[in-house]
């Protein structure tokens, strides 16, 4: 059986367990937040949602990369931890102890998602299959939640405690397919600054492993060649150390025979990003990845903003309760459409182009809804935002899995997810703390369109600049703002 199949089964059970915990807590004091509560309480609730990510970022990411048991061990550990915490919540369902236990379950869940995202690149055959693999996992997540909803709701009629017991059993079952995942290599420690020859003409500098070589954490020596690491990078005969003499005096060789932009190494990088471009400077890949992270941060902020904007607008408009259900259903359908359409679209265009396209679609629809302002058009906006969120997440995950060093996948995903959750909270807080608690729909949707348009300009313009070795628009804007601030400070000091 293929290793990805074991991950798929693990993810299905993990999603089912998370859904059962959510059902169990729905009637508890954990979710007893009155919708008509004062704005400070809602704002405090949003800020509290940042807590698991604040812990995941600095601690869990490096732990996932350096754990002796590897990413597989972290996945199994996250399942065991959630199983134990679910049993503890059975006793404290109506107690204040439920809060730290639920918090621990959230942290364990985020740990699982970071480790899962770090495992995916080693379980696919081609890097172009990353979007499809992530899409399958997203669809399985929805399927797992749907499967668990039936028995979870039936047990909740008896007692929420039985739902938690079932969740604990599901998390235990999750560890069995997780144990069949390949063992991931341990991240090597930083070695003293040196340069050593490697087989095939590879060099090693500043303690970073050369391509195609996995290093033992205990001895600092290469792994045995017979060790089959699913994350090991393939041998790249076109690799050259940028610190070696003469680097940049001639075009880089492309082992795949496609050729590389002759301008590479002479002040500007190749014209394309990712593995498909052959040899690409690490700085270029990292720059493109950071640009994608910034664009995805805008996507997450728009998602949180839209959710609370529509909720407050419907409440102010005295909408019937089913309109709230319609909005959530439209958003869910948009997310499902994004997960289904992402793989076939990726076969035609790259992840970067897909991310620019969904941002452009969101900008166009937002500006259209600003002129309409009726509930049907807002339904369409909710669907488009859901589609953008799903498609953007799949594309961004694939970009990080493709361009980040394999040994750094855990910390990269933890770092970006922390930023994304912060952006989601910031976006959600805007309609929450708006004057009188309500931001006018037209003004809010117009703000969405402006934000999406700016994101398209900065992301697409940044990719264009990187491909030509120039400064990105965000760097230019930041430099000008810094210059103006320094000028004003100087005038204030002199005056």
């Amino acid at each position: 059986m293929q290793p990805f199949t074991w991950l798929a089964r693990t993810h299905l059970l993990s999603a089912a367990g998370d859904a059962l915990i959510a059902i169990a807590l729905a009637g508890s004091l954990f979710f007893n937040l009155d919708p008509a509560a004062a704005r400070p309480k809602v704002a405090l609730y949003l800020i509290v949602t940042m807590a698991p990510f604040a812990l995941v970022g600095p601690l869990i990411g490096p732990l996932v990369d350096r754990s002796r048991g590897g990413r597989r061990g972290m996945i199994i550990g996250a399942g065991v931890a959630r199983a134990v915490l679910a049993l503890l919540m059975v006793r404290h369902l109506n107690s204040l102890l439920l809060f730290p236990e639920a918090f621990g379950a959230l942290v364990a869940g985020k740990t699982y998602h970071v480790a899962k995202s770090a495992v995916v690149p080693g379980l696919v055959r081609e890097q172009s299959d990353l979007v499809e693999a992530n899409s399958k996992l997203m669809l399985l997540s929805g399927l797992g939640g749907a499967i668990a909803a039936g028995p979870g709701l039936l047990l909740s009629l008896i007692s929420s405690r039985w739902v938690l017991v079932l969740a604990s059993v599901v998390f235990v079952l999750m560890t069995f397919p997780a144990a069949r995942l390949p063992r991931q290599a341990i991240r090597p420690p930083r070695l003293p600054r040196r340069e050593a020859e490697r087989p095939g003409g590879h060099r090693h500098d500043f303690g970073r492993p050369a391509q195609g070589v996995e290093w033992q954490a205990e001895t600092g020596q290469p792994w045995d060649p017979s060790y089959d690491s699913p994350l090991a990078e393939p041998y790249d005969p076109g690799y050259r150390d940028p610190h070696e003499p003469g680097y940049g005096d001639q075009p880089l060789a492309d082992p795949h025979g496609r050729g590389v932009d002759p301008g590479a190494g002479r002040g500007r990088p190749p014209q394309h990003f990712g593995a498909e471009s052959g040899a690409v400077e690490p700085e270029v890949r990292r720059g493109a990845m950071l640009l994608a992270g910034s664009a995805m941060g805008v996507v997450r902020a728009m998602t949180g903003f839209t959710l609370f904007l529509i909720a407050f607008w419907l409440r102010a408009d005295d909408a019937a309760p089913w309109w709230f259900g319609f909005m959530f259903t439209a958003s869910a359908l948009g997310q499902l459409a994004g997960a289904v359409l992402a793989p076939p679209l990726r076969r035609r265009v790259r992840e970067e182009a897909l991310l620019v396209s969904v941002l452009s679609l969101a900008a166009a629809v937002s500006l259209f809804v600003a002129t309409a302002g009726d509930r049907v058009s807002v339904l369409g906006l909710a669907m488009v935002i859901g589609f953008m969120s799903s498609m953007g997440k799949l594309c961004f995950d694939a970009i990080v899995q493709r361009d980040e060093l394999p040994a750094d996948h855990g910390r990269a995903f933890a770092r970006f997810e922390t930023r994304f959750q912060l952006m989601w909270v910031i976006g959600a807080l805007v309609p929450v703390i708006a004057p009188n608690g309500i931001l006018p729909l037209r003004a809010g949707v117009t703000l969405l369109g402006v934000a999406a348009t700016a994101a398209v300009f900065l992301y697409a313009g940044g990719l264009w600049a990187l491909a030509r070795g120039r400064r990105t628009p965000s760097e230019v804007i930041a430099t000008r703002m810094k210059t103006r601030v320094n000028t004003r400070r100087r005038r204030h000091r002199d005056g």
Side-chain angles (χ1 to χ4, degrees), residues 340-352:
V340 171
L341 295 177
L345 290 175
R346 172 58 185 90
R347 298 188 190 103
R348 292 168 173 79
V349 294
R350 295 176 57 81
E351 292 89 348
E352 291 83 357

Side-chain angles (χ1 to χ4, degrees), residues 184-441:
Q184 305 297 321
I186 303 173
R187 173 180 170 83
R190 300 284 292 186
L191 300 179
R193 174 170 175 164
R194 63 188 179 88
E195 185 175 298
E197 288 287 349
R198 291 302 162 85
H202 284 236
R203 291 180 180 269
H204 178 74
D205 193 33
F206 294 95
R208 298 189 71 85
Q211 296 185 10
V213 180
E214 293 289 338
W215 283 67
Q216 298 183 25
E218 296 86 355
T219 63
Q221 299 299 319
W223 289 101
D224 186 279
S226 62
Y227 178 78
D228 184 17
S229 168
L231 288 185
E233 298 183 62
Y235 169 69
D236 182 5
Y239 173 79
R240 292 183 62 195
D241 186 353
H243 299 283
E244 71 176 84
Y247 177 82
D249 294 340
Q250 55 184 339
L252 299 179
D254 183 358
H256 305 288
R258 288 187 295 269
V260 177
D261 175 21
R266 294 196 182 100
R268 63 182 179 90
Q271 295 291 335
H272 303 285
F273 304 101
E276 296 177 5
S277 61
V280 179
E281 293 182 3
E283 294 81 3
V284 178
R285 290 192 180 188
R286 183 167 297 276
M289 187 169 57
L290 292 176
L291 284 174
S294 299
M296 189 59 202
V298 175
V299 170
R300 292 297 296 273
M302 292 174 62
T303 303
F305 179 86
T306 305
L307 173 64
F308 283 86
L309 176 69
I310 294 177
F312 279 117
W313 174 67
L314 288 176
R315 181 187 302 172
D317 205 32
D318 294 327
W322 56 76
W323 275 103
F324 291 88
F326 288 162
M327 293 299 172
F328 283 110
T329 302
S331 178
L333 289 176
Q335 293 179 15
L336 178 63
V340 171
L341 295 177
L345 290 175
R346 172 58 185 90
R347 298 188 190 103
R348 292 168 173 79
V349 294
R350 295 176 57 81
E351 292 89 348
E352 291 83 357
L354 285 176
L355 191 51
V356 172
S357 299
V358 293
L359 281 168
S360 302
L361 175 63
V365 173
S366 298
L367 295 176
F368 169 77
V369 173
T371 62
D374 58 277
R375 292 180 183 177
V376 176
S377 63
V378 174
L379 275 177
L381 175 64
M383 183 176 294
V384 169
I385 295 298
F387 178 81
M388 175 189 66
S389 176
S390 174
M391 182 77 75
K393 182 68 166 63
L394 293 174
C395 293
F396 176 77
D397 285 355
I399 290 172
V400 175
Q401 292 163 347
R402 181 194 70 194
D403 290 345
E404 183 58 274
L405 291 173
D408 285 336
H409 279 150
R411 64 178 60 200
F413 277 109
R415 181 175 65 251
F416 279 117
E417 285 299 326
T418 301
R419 296 176 183 176
F420 295 160
Q421 184 65 13
L422 175 61
M423 293 298 295
W424 187 91
V425 170
I426 292 175
L429 281 174
V430 173
V432 170
I433 65 178
N436 299 323
I438 297 176
L439 182 69
L441 178 69

